[in-house]
Amino acid sequence: GAGVSQSPSNKVTEKGKDVELRCDPISGHTALYWYRQRLGQGLEFLIYFQGNSAPDKSGLPSDRFSAERTGESVSTLTIQRTQQEDSAVYLCASSLPDRYQPQHFGDGTRLSIL
Amino acid sequence: LAKTTQPISMDSYEGQEVNITCSHNNIATNDYITWYQQFPSQGPRFIIQGYKTKVTNEVASLFIPADRKSSTLSLPRVSLSDTAVYYCLVGDAYNQGGKLIFGQGTELSVKP
């Protein structure tokens, strides 16, 4: 079956521009996660959705970052007024809502800020 | 959230068994231990999960001692394609508001 799909796979933009990253989770996965991974680093948790709700947004790095999810499906991560330090791979994962369910990851969006 | 410690890197040769140990001294009673594998330019992929003793699947084995303060991922007869970063995680995203700490992982390099 289809896995987690992220688009675009690569995004190059100028500093100060806004970007929108998209994640299509596996059908039926009500839990959705966003992570950031800088070059050579581990994954940094950003935000988690259970259904369309994000109970805790404290992982978002700044108020330039926002995320939403609709229809318990597609999620978008928006970065406003991008800065060079936002350059990273942004990974999305989804899972079933039960305890200890493994997360299924997409291959990420590689974001480069010039 | 339980913190994990694992070696930054390991080297091996094709056909050898590789054991990667992860320390998690402050694991909670209800925490499970999960391992993921990540290839370059890909998202992490679930390998194995366990709570105690030993778990085995078609890819790996996971050994967890009685005190659960550490765990060892065992990869039998590795091949070049097992070159990847391996992450040990402790906890449960469902009950932790989605937060799981991936850390820097162990970069395994398999040589011919």
Side-chain angles (χ1 to χ4, degrees):
Chain A
V4 176
S5 177
Q6 293 188 246
S7 61
S9 54
N10 285 283
K11 177 73 176 178
V12 180
T13 191
E14 293 179 346
K15 177 182 170 181
K17 300 285 189 183
D18 297 351
V19 295
E20 189 173 277
L21 312 179
R22 177 186 170 108
C23 173
D24 285 272
I26 293 172
S27 178
H29 282 195
T30 59
L32 186 146
Y33 313 80
W34 283 98
Y35 295 87
R36 178 170 69 180
Q37 186 171 34
R38 291 199 166 103
L39 188 63
Q41 302 296 311
L43 279 70
E44 176 188 358
F45 170 81
L46 297 179
I47 194 167
Y48 155 73
F49 287 90
Q50 184 56 259
N52 294 330
S53 299
D56 183 357
K57 299 182 180 180
S58 63
L60 294 175
S62 75
D63 58 8
R64 297 185 294 104
F65 287 71
S66 63
E68 66 175 21
R69 189 179 185 195
T70 57
E72 295 196 353
S73 182
V74 172
S75 176
T76 54
L77 177 69
T78 301
I79 309 173
Q80 296 179 310
R81 305 180 302 280
T82 52
Q83 303 294 314
Q84 287 189 330
E85 64 262 27
D86 299 333
S87 295
V89 175
Y90 290 83
L91 290 159
C92 173
S94 69
S95 75
L96 292 169
D98 304 311
R99 296 191 70 186
Y100 311 121
Q101 291 294 326
Q103 297 182 28
H104 299 261
F105 284 81
D107 287 335
T109 293
R110 182 175 299 278
L111 177 63
S112 300
I113 309 299
L114 302 178
Chain B
L1 300 177
K3 186 180 186 307
T4 60
T5 303
Q6 50 183 124
I8 296 293
S9 64
M10 293 182 70
D11 291 333
S12 184
Y13 290 93
E14 282 191 291
Q16 289 188 333
E17 178 184 80
V18 170
N19 296 307
I20 305 174
T21 297
C22 178
S23 298
H24 28 79
N25 291 318
N26 61 339
I27 187 169
T29 303
N30 295 329
D31 284 344
Y32 271 63
I33 300 157
T34 310
W35 286 79
Y36 287 82
Q37 174 192 55
Q38 186 178 26
F39 297 114
S41 302
Q42 294 185 23
R45 183 173 70 103
F46 170 83
I47 302 176
I48 198 166
Q49 183 180 79
Y51 182 79
K52 62 181 180 180
T53 62
K54 177 184 173 183
V55 179
T56 297
N57 62 22
E58 65 278 5
V59 176
S61 294
L62 179 59
F63 298 92
I64 305 168
D67 67 5
R68 304 198 331 118
K69 292 185 182 299
S70 67
S71 59
T72 298
L73 174 72
S74 181
L75 304 172
R77 298 179 299 282
V78 294
S79 64
L80 296 177
S81 63
D82 292 316
T83 293
V85 178
Y86 293 81
Y87 295 97
C88 162
L89 281 77
V90 170
D92 168 26
Y94 183 74
N95 283 317
Q96 292 171 185
K99 292 180 182 176
L100 286 177
I101 300 174
F102 271 76
Q104 288 197 301
T106 297
E107 186 170 5
L108 173 65
S109 177
V110 180
K111 302 174 183 177

